[in-house]
Amino acid sequence: MKSYYSLIRYFNNSLSKENIVIGLIAISNTRVFYKFSDLKIKLISKLSDNKDDLLNFNIKKIKESLDLNANDQLFIEENTNDLKQYIDRLSIYNNGIIQFDKPIELNIDIDKSFFNKFYDKYIGEFKSNFKNRKVDLVFTNRVQNDFSKPLSDIIDIDYKIEKSIIPSLFFDYKLNGIGVNGSIYSVKCIDINSNRTLDNIQKDISELESLNFRLNKFSEDKVENPKNNQHFLVIDAYKGYNEKYAELYSTLINQDNEMYNVINSNKLEEVTATILKANATRFSELI
């Protein structure tokens, strides 16, 4: 017995081909199974740029079409072939925000139990995606190659500011880099796509705000132009499906925060050039 399955994808950007798998269709000789991830669709709707109405409209139409076949009653094999050909056509001609993979053949008869396991493997939900998140290598490489290495002998890299150094600071804090020459330049890099917990990341950001406020106060009688201090929070776009992480990233990039400038890691070369142009030296020499 042969069965078929097809992944359903949401394409956020037709040029870059960035996509999120939001659903699965499986066809056996006697049944049609399908399921969409409501959590992923909800997240996409929240983050999309006025595309949520179109997304939900398309999903509604797909469900209506599939519901004609995906029911508890058995149907003849010819209908299965017709549906397989229908998905074939969708995979070839659909160029919109929702697209179907070309159906893949399986030499088994899919049942509900197998379909559910298959769905968990290929689509899953937030918890399983969180466990599988790894270090963002692009982010890590940029931090090392575009910032840390070029400035390793010029400013303090991976420098821990101890609470005893800055008045009223009640915690130690590690920055990726800090330098000074007339003004203070500091950089903190946070990989939101790593396995760090949300609470841990939020604490890191909150303490960064507190640190920068105290650094600015500390620099008032230490440097010539304390009002020109530049603090950078480097964080890339969230790539997972956890709504809370996505909300945090959205808040960071849309807020107007006086304590730091939020930048993407692809801007680190510009930050490095700014520090080099300023002829900055080690912050540790200032204290």
Side-chain angles (χ1 to χ4, degrees):
M1 294 184 178
K2 294 181 180 179
S3 298
Y4 303 90
Y5 75 90
S6 174
L7 301 179
I8 308 171
R9 302 177 186 271
Y10 166 78
F11 277 76
N12 180 53
N13 188 317
S14 59
L15 295 178
S16 66
K17 298 299 181 181
E18 295 176 358
N19 67 87
I20 298 173
V21 179
I22 60 171
L24 173 68
I25 298 176
I27 311 165
S28 71
N29 284 331
T30 57
R31 293 288 303 274
V32 172
F33 303 93
Y34 77 88
K35 186 175 181 180
F36 287 88
S37 171
D38 291 334
L39 290 174
K40 289 185 182 180
I41 292 169
K42 180 181 178 181
L43 176 60
I44 292 169
S45 296
K46 176 171 279 191
L47 298 179
S48 63
D49 183 17
N50 298 320
K51 294 180 181 178
D52 53 326
D53 289 341
L54 181 60
L55 171 65
N56 289 311
F57 174 79
N58 276 274
I59 290 174
K60 181 175 180 291
K61 290 299 181 182
I62 291 171
K63 287 182 176 180
E64 288 176 354
S65 177
L66 291 172
D67 281 341
L68 296 176
N69 291 288
N71 53 55
D72 292 332
Q73 298 179 359
L74 302 181
F75 51 84
I76 59 176
E77 186 173 350
E78 284 75 12
N79 288 341
T80 304
N81 291 332
D82 287 344
L83 185 57
K84 190 264 182 183
Q85 293 172 7
Y86 166 68
I87 299 175
D88 262 329
R89 291 195 297 272
L90 287 174
S91 70
I92 296 172
Y93 297 112
N94 192 328
N95 293 314
I97 61 173
I98 298 180
Q99 299 184 24
F100 294 76
D101 285 3
K102 185 174 180 62
I104 303 298
E105 182 180 305
L106 296 174
N107 290 317
I108 61 171
D109 187 22
I110 294 176
D111 58 16
K112 186 175 182 179
S113 175
F114 181 89
F115 175 81
N116 288 334
K117 292 178 181 179
F118 212 58
Y119 175 88
D120 289 339
K121 178 179 180 180
Y122 282 99
I123 290 84
E125 299 298 353
F126 292 160
K127 290 183 179 179
S128 60
N129 277 285
F130 173 79
K131 292 177 181 177
N132 290 329
R133 284 188 288 124
K134 300 179 180 179
V135 172
D136 187 339
L137 294 179
V138 172
F139 181 86
T140 302
N141 289 336
R142 283 175 176 166
V143 172
Q144 290 297 316
N145 298 325
D146 297 344
F147 178 76
S148 298
K149 289 182 180 179
L151 296 174
S152 61
D153 296 324
I154 298 173
I155 66 172
D156 292 307
I157 296 297
D158 295 331
Y159 182 73
K160 180 187 288 186
I161 297 182
E162 298 180 355
K163 56 188 177 184
S164 60
I165 296 175
I166 308 298
S168 73
L169 187 67
F170 55 89
F171 53 83
D172 296 339
Y173 195 88
K174 187 175 182 180
L175 291 167
N176 291 82
I178 182 168
V180 60
N181 185 14
S183 303
I184 291 177
Y185 302 86
S186 73
V187 173
K188 177 64 178 181
C189 304
I190 295 179
D191 183 1
I192 198 173
N193 293 295
S194 68
N195 287 323
R196 295 181 63 188
T197 65
L198 184 66
D199 287 344
N200 186 276
I201 293 175
Q202 289 174 325
K203 178 176 180 290
D204 219 356
I205 295 171
S206 177
E207 289 184 348
L208 178 64
E209 293 183 10
S210 180
L211 169 68
N212 288 343
F213 174 78
R214 286 163 174 77
L215 273 175
N216 289 342
K217 298 293 289 184
F218 171 76
S219 68
E220 287 178 356
D221 59 356
K222 299 287 186 179
V223 300
E224 296 176 4
N225 300 302
K227 292 184 178 180
N228 292 332
N229 291 346
Q230 296 188 50
H231 306 296
F232 298 94
L233 170 58
V234 184
I235 189 166
D236 283 356
Y238 177 61
K239 301 175 183 178
Y241 309 118
N242 188 309
E243 185 175 359
K244 296 298 183 181
Y245 283 79
E247 286 180 354
L248 174 61
Y249 176 74
S250 178
T251 299
L252 287 172
I253 62 173
N254 289 310
Q255 71 178 353
D256 185 13
N257 194 307
E258 296 180 354
M259 293 298 104
Y260 50 73
N261 298 310
V262 180
I263 64 169
N264 187 282
S265 65
N266 62 13
K267 299 293 184 180
L268 272 171
E269 286 184 319
E270 297 178 16
V271 173
T272 298
T274 297
I275 294 173
L276 290 172
K277 185 177 180 180
N279 293 317
T281 57
R282 298 181 187 276
F283 173 81
S284 55
E285 296 176 357
L286 180 67
I287 56 177

